[in-house]
Amino acid sequence: MNKSKVMSRNSIVIRKWNLSSIFKAIRKQGPISRIELTTITGCSAGTVSNHVRTLIKKGFVIETKKGISSGGRKPVQLMINPNKAYIFSIEIEVNQIKIVMFDLEIKVVMKSVIPIIYKDNYMKTFKQVFLEMDKMIEEKNLKLDNLLGIGVAVPGLIDKVKGILEFAPNLGWKNVHISKIFKDSYGLPIILNNEAKAAAIGERGSIYPKINNMVFVSINEGIGCGIFINGKLYRGASGNAGEFGHIIIDTNGPLCHCGNRGCWEIFASESYIVNRYLKLSNSNKKLTKKEIYQLGKNGDKKIIEIFIETGRNIGIGLVNIINGLSPELLVIGGGIVEIKDYIYDEIIKKLKESALSVSYRNVEIKFSELGSLAAVYGMADLIINERIKFI
Ligand SMILES: [Zn+2]
């Protein structure tokens, strides 16, 4: 490649990067003036002016006069045109699927949760998802042109580039070409991601934008993590870094879906709570997680004991993560947040007891604020950032 080609490729990359950071600043801080945008993004006045002109021309940004007057003429303020385009965010969980439509400001427009009835037949499951999506599109009276893209978060290992879910142990799904399945039906850009990574992106983007070293531990039927190092999501060579649910904490422990024995998630996930209750209650009727949580909250002593035990087991894995990575912030998310009041003390007790004090002193432990919506927020964020570069 000759020098001028390299130069022009670089300038295209810079243009895209500037455009998306200007858009992001308007989304997060708008209404905002052009002058403020130059300070926040570090772009020159000319660059801001050019990109804003494009964003307005394409209808993504609108001018408003809501600005605070500082004596003279009111500065023109810029804000996102929320209804210019919409995004679908879909989170496939182990027993249910969330389908959320967001507007451009990443506000929830519509939301639907459907149970996974045909676990052994994923195509049938996706057809149910499409029905829900079609209903939403119709209700909002949208055309496919009004949609920026579809983000899909899954509880398993993925090939992000090919858009394939390689293995979801808790669903029993292998080699599902998710991007292709959605593309064949809607022809829209698709981004596939692991749910814990999507949730980490959502939580950091919305709640902790300034924290650079953070681990998000998503505890549902299994456990997955999203790791931010120096402000960047760490994916590792395979793209699947963060599978701390499968660190082995008991080599003689029960068999895990992954083929090993005694993985952390066997002892510290929501499945552990369900299975442990089944075992201790000597009953043949398997209660759902929801039922167990409710009984626990109503004061069932046996269940509260299981919550406490789970908290301790969660703590054991967190000790390993904190000792290994020494993050500034560790956020616990996923369905387990529902019983945070029962597990928090046990987690902290275990960390104080076993984590290296230098690492423990420097980490803050929080529960997810976005809760069960963290992953869908993260996917909407990814779709917007990816698509806005190409307008
Ligand atoms: Zn495992």
Side-chain angles (χ1 to χ4, degrees), residues 140-156:
K140 275 298 276 182
N141 206 4
L142 300 177
K143 296 194 187 86
L144 287 182
D145 287 355
N146 302 121
L147 294 164
L148 272 192
I150 304 170
V152 185
V154 291

Side-chain angles (χ1 to χ4, degrees), residues 246 256 258 263:
H246 300 284
C256 176
C258 74
C263 293

Side-chain angles (χ1 to χ4, degrees), residues 330-359:
L330 191 143
V331 180
I332 300 165
I336 203 82
V337 175
E338 185 80 20
I339 53 162
K340 62 181 179 189
D341 295 342
Y342 298 89
I343 58 176
Y344 181 75
D345 289 349
E346 286 304 314
I347 290 173
I348 297 300
K349 209 160 105 189
K350 188 71 210 161
L351 293 180
K352 279 189 179 153
E353 203 177 281
S354 307
L356 294 170
S357 64
V358 65
S359 298

Side-chain angles (χ1 to χ4, degrees), residues 84-181:
K84 163 67 187 170
Y86 298 84
I87 303 100
F88 269 119
S89 265
I90 291 153
E91 184 185 0
I92 300 171
E93 298 171 56
V94 173
N95 296 306
Q96 62 178 25
I97 300 182
K98 268 189 227 106
I99 302 142
V100 183
M101 185 191 272
F102 285 97
D103 67 15
L104 258 196
E105 283 181 316
I106 316 199
K107 293 216 169 90
V108 175
V109 177
M110 268 186 261
K111 183 179 155 223
S112 168
V113 180
I114 58 167
I116 299 181
I117 304 166
Y118 313 104
K119 217 177 239 187
D120 52 349
N121 186 336
Y122 59 78
M123 260 334 281
K124 265 190 170 173
T125 303
F126 286 123
K127 281 193 177 131
Q128 279 183 286
V129 174
F130 297 158
L131 273 178
E132 288 300 308
M133 290 169 68
D134 292 346
K135 257 196 256 170
M136 290 184 184
I137 292 171
E138 203 181 306
E139 211 168 299
K140 275 298 276 182
N141 206 4
L142 300 177
K143 296 194 187 86
L144 287 182
D145 287 355
N146 302 121
L147 294 164
L148 272 192
I150 304 170
V152 185
V154 291
L157 306 175
I158 60 162
D159 181 327
K160 194 169 184 293
V161 178
K162 293 188 182 144
I164 299 172
L165 166 59
E166 293 194 331
F167 183 38
N170 293 304
L171 272 169
W173 293 2
K174 265 186 186 163
N175 294 319
V176 184
H177 290 242
I178 292 192
S179 291
K180 186 177 182 304
I181 292 169

Side-chain angles (χ1 to χ4, degrees), residues 68-76:
I68 305 147
S69 167
S70 52
R73 187 164 66 96
K74 278 187 184 179
V76 175

